[in-house]
Amino acid sequence: DYPYYTNTKQTKDLNKIHILINKYLYMPNNYVPDYLDIIDSKYTNGTKKLVMEAKIKFEEMVEAASLEGYTVRAISAYRSYEYQKGLYDNYAKRDGIKKADTYSARPGYSEHQTGLVVDIDNGVTDYNHFEDTKEFNWMQENAYKYGFILRYPKGKEDITGYTYESWHYRY
């Protein structure tokens, strides 16, 4: 019940699949997860990495979607502390800290740094409108079969601390 980013602690679960990162639990600045691996280029829009277990399941999921006629690809995955700092600082400069905190994690508090998160699109529709795609519906019905969940669902902003993100999936 503390205000966000107060009474914070470093997570104790580094390099574990069940690592919890939120606005109270952070990772060290220099944390890089073990076993990061590059996602096959046919499943992404550039060089992206996930922790090996998540990468394997992500590629299986995308392949299954493809076999049913859907296109799902990674547009963001692992992000270093420094990369997240650059993103967050730009958002805070543009929109102010209070607003940026609703849609972007502060550096060290981003699930992307765990290597277990992937932002996706369908290669056509801007990711901000992913919920309007047939791929979003497929993900809602199938992502869990591969260990992924929609991490910031609509209507749960008071619990997650973040605005709804139809494209953000956590392994």
Side-chain angles (χ1 to χ4, degrees), residues 16 23-24 27 42 68 72 75 85 94 99 112 119 143 153:
K16 296 191 173 130
K23 294 182 178 191
Y24 304 106
M27 294 161 286
K42 66 184 174 182
E68 294 183 38
V72 175
I75 58 170
K85 182 174 178 4
R94 183 186 72 199
K99 178 76 173 167
H112 283 279
D119 290 343

Side-chain angles (χ1 to χ4, degrees), residues 52-166:
M52 180 68 76
E53 181 178 335
K55 176 206 140 183
I56 290 167
K57 297 309 275 183
F58 177 74
E59 290 178 350
E60 286 177 10
M61 179 175 68
V62 173
E63 193 63 34
S66 177
L67 291 172
E68 294 183 38
Y70 301 100
T71 301
V72 175
R73 68 177 187 161
I75 58 170
S76 184
Y78 167 74
R79 295 181 193 157
S80 68
Y81 178 94
E82 294 78 20
Y83 187 89
Q84 186 66 28
K85 182 174 178 4
L87 283 178
Y88 180 82
D89 288 351
N90 285 335
Y91 295 145
K93 183 177 180 181
R94 183 186 72 199
D95 296 332
I97 291 172
K98 185 175 181 179
K99 178 76 173 167
D101 280 345
T102 67
Y103 66 85
S104 179
R106 293 181 184 182
Y109 295 86
S110 173
E111 287 190 325
H112 283 279
Q113 193 180 345
T114 69
L116 298 168
V117 168
V118 62
D119 290 343
I120 61 174
D121 74 1
N122 69 353
V124 178
T125 305
D126 180 88
Y127 74 95
N128 286 298
H129 301 286
F130 185 68
E131 74 176 311
D132 300 326
T133 68
K134 62 185 183 179
E135 285 80 5
F136 173 75
N137 293 330
W138 188 91
M139 289 293 293
Q140 291 302 287
E141 294 172 9
N142 295 283
Y144 76 93
K145 297 173 186 174
Y146 302 90
F148 287 89
I149 61 163
L150 177 66
R151 181 62 177 91
Y152 304 125
K154 191 179 287 187
K156 301 296 183 184
E157 296 81 358
D158 59 325
I159 295 169
T160 66
Y162 292 103
T163 56
Y164 168 56
E165 294 186 356
S166 62

